[in-house]
Amino acid sequence: MMRPNLTAPAPLLRMAVALVGGIVVGRAFTWPLPWLVLLLAAVVGAALTARRRPLLQSLLICAAVFVLGMASWNWSSSDADERRAGPLGEWFLQQREVLLSRYRAVTGDEAQYAVLAAMTLGDKSALTSDLRETYSITGASHVLALSGLHLGIIYMLLSVLMLGRRGYAVTQVVIILSIWAFALLTGLSTSVVRAATMLTLYALFSIGDRGRSPLNVLSFTAIVLLLLDCRMLFDVGFQMSFLSVLAILLFMPLFDRLVSFDYLMRHPFLRWVYRLSAVSVAAQLGVGPLIAFYFHRFSTYFLLSNFVVIPAATLILYGALLTLLVPPVGVVLAWLVGALNKVLGWLSALPYASIDHLQLSLLQLLMVYVLVGCLYGLLRFLMTRRREA
């Protein structure tokens, strides 16, 4: 069995970076929109005439995307739009209330209900400040906000249930529709829409066994979402979501080469432990600095808590789906949520569970990410030398 290649060429990554840069500059410096349109037309025209110079053409294309980013900020509306999907969306919201009532009936206390409602349906109204603090200290807050983790678990479950290559395109369409049905059920929150969009693109690119570059999929998703609403770039959830996935896609191929792939394949439990550890560390490299910048905290036991939270979240989501068909399963589901709360409560009470009162300036945040980039470059250099030796 070959090692998966997560570092396939990703030309769209450069365009995504150029678009982000243009949005940032457009927000900082106001340019008249007609001038931006003329500049964009000039750069596009220059790119079309530079066919015999590929490098120059690539630079001009990135420049055009940069100007497009500046123009998109001028086009954006300052009014927040409310996501609704008409009668269909209202029907799903009614079903959501039915499920919340069912959760209320099977849970033994308010903490169980609060976590179950937040983790499976995105309703965080019942979360108390103490419960939020417990999850924050242990680095488990991400399971309370519906995101790519939750939809990824559902995607894997649906993929397993639809084993086989016959009618592959049809099964992918069914999975996509199921993912968006879940998104409607949760009220189309921003994080869920982001994750559903990325999974949709990933599933569409996989039809026909076409080669998939995860970095290209991530970059294309970012481009589409930012062109639809460039203000999303300054949303903390958007930043954390994409930086965590980006870090995983960049660092995981390097971490995979630290241990023999054949050895891990022969030892499933060790493979699970190593992969979960590697993914947790990679994600932390992506979002740890942001958490320190925005929330002034670093969770020291994030690796230990992930060994509890990720399997529990998987079982809870699967159990929630099963509860729709077999309501008595909800009792077991409530017990599992209660056990998770107790374990995280114990972890949060350990000495030095978190480093608080961190104060990072924007410049310091950027310098930390420069160091993360240097670490990536060093690991990639060492892995390349090791492979050539």
Side-chain angles (χ1 to χ4, degrees), residues 216-238:
N216 252 353
V217 175
L218 178 68
S219 303
F220 185 66
T221 304
I223 291 171
V224 170
L225 292 177
L226 289 177
L227 288 179
L228 291 176
D229 184 6
C230 63
R231 294 166 294 147
M232 195 179 294
L233 176 63
F234 303 97
D235 177 72
V236 179
F238 179 90

Side-chain angles (χ1 to χ4, degrees), residues 309-377:
V309 169
I310 301 302
T314 303
L315 292 175
I316 289 170
L317 278 172
Y318 290 172
L321 294 175
L322 188 58
T323 302
L324 298 178
L325 304 175
V326 187
V329 175
V331 177
V332 180
L333 189 62
W335 176 87
L336 181 59
V337 173
L340 175 62
N341 290 341
K342 290 181 180 178
V343 172
L344 292 182
W346 174 76
L347 285 176
S348 67
L350 292 176
Y352 308 107
S354 67
I355 303 174
D356 296 324
H357 310 298
L358 296 174
Q359 299 292 333
L360 288 182
S361 66
L362 181 59
L363 178 60
Q364 289 172 328
L365 175 66
L366 295 177
M367 292 305 296
V368 171
Y369 277 115
V370 169
L371 291 177
V372 172
C374 292
L375 174 63
Y376 170 76

Side-chain angles (χ1 to χ4, degrees), residues 88-381:
L88 180 63
E90 292 297 331
W91 183 85
F92 273 99
L93 290 179
Q94 291 174 6
Q95 303 310 306
R96 183 187 190 217
E97 294 302 320
V98 171
L99 289 176
L100 288 174
S101 299
R102 185 170 296 177
Y103 288 164
R104 180 73 71 179
V106 299
T107 50
D109 57 50
E110 191 66 18
Q112 290 180 359
Y113 168 80
V115 172
L116 186 57
M119 192 179 297
T120 62
L121 293 175
D123 182 2
K124 296 187 285 187
S125 60
L127 290 173
T128 63
S129 57
D130 291 339
L131 199 55
R132 290 175 185 267
E133 183 71 3
T134 297
Y135 276 74
S136 175
I137 290 175
T138 56
S141 295
H142 57 283
V143 299
L144 296 178
L146 286 175
S147 62
L149 169 67
H150 304 75
L151 266 70
I153 292 172
I154 295 175
Y155 180 89
M156 287 188 294
L157 174 63
L158 293 175
S159 299
V160 170
L161 293 177
M162 298 182 179
L163 289 175
R165 305 299 297 177
R166 293 184 178 180
Y168 184 74
V170 175
T171 61
Q172 290 301 306
V173 171
V174 171
I175 291 176
I176 291 172
L177 292 176
S178 301
I179 289 294
W180 282 102
F182 178 77
L184 285 167
L185 191 64
T186 61
L188 291 177
S189 65
T190 302
S191 59
V192 171
V193 170
R194 282 197 304 266
T197 302
M198 183 175 179
L199 285 173
T200 299
L201 294 173
Y202 185 84
L204 291 176
F205 290 167
S206 69
I207 293 177
D209 286 331
R210 297 178 181 178
R212 289 161 287 171
S213 167
L215 279 176
N216 252 353
V217 175
L218 178 68
S219 303
F220 185 66
T221 304
I223 291 171
V224 170
L225 292 177
L226 289 177
L227 288 179
L228 291 176
D229 184 6
C230 63
R231 294 166 294 147
M232 195 179 294
L233 176 63
F234 303 97
D235 177 72
V236 179
F238 179 90
Q239 297 171 13
M240 293 180 65
S241 175
F242 275 91
L243 280 177
S244 63
V245 176
L246 179 62
I248 290 172
L249 295 180
L250 290 176
F251 280 96
M252 278 305 295
L254 303 180
F255 291 161
D256 281 342
R257 296 191 182 103
L258 294 176
V259 180
S260 169
F261 186 70
D262 293 333
Y263 177 81
L264 290 178
M265 292 305 297
R266 291 195 303 268
H267 300 83
F269 178 73
L270 290 179
R271 182 174 72 246
W272 176 78
V273 171
Y274 181 77
R275 294 284 295 178
L276 182 55
S277 301
V279 169
S280 299
V281 172
Q284 196 68 18
L285 287 171
V287 301
L290 271 185
I291 293 174
F293 178 73
Y294 285 114
F295 306 108
H296 317 295
R297 165 175 286 165
F298 179 79
S299 301
T300 56
Y301 298 140
F302 72 90
L303 188 58
L304 182 59
S305 66
N306 275 345
F307 276 99
V308 177
V309 169
I310 301 302
T314 303
L315 292 175
I316 289 170
L317 278 172
Y318 290 172
L321 294 175
L322 188 58
T323 302
L324 298 178
L325 304 175
V326 187
V329 175
V331 177
V332 180
L333 189 62
W335 176 87
L336 181 59
V337 173
L340 175 62
N341 290 341
K342 290 181 180 178
V343 172
L344 292 182
W346 174 76
L347 285 176
S348 67
L350 292 176
Y352 308 107
S354 67
I355 303 174
D356 296 324
H357 310 298
L358 296 174
Q359 299 292 333
L360 288 182
S361 66
L362 181 59
L363 178 60
Q364 289 172 328
L365 175 66
L366 295 177
M367 292 305 296
V368 171
Y369 277 115
V370 169
L371 291 177
V372 172
C374 292
L375 174 63
Y376 170 76
L378 176 61
L379 288 175
R380 185 164 185 171
F381 172 76

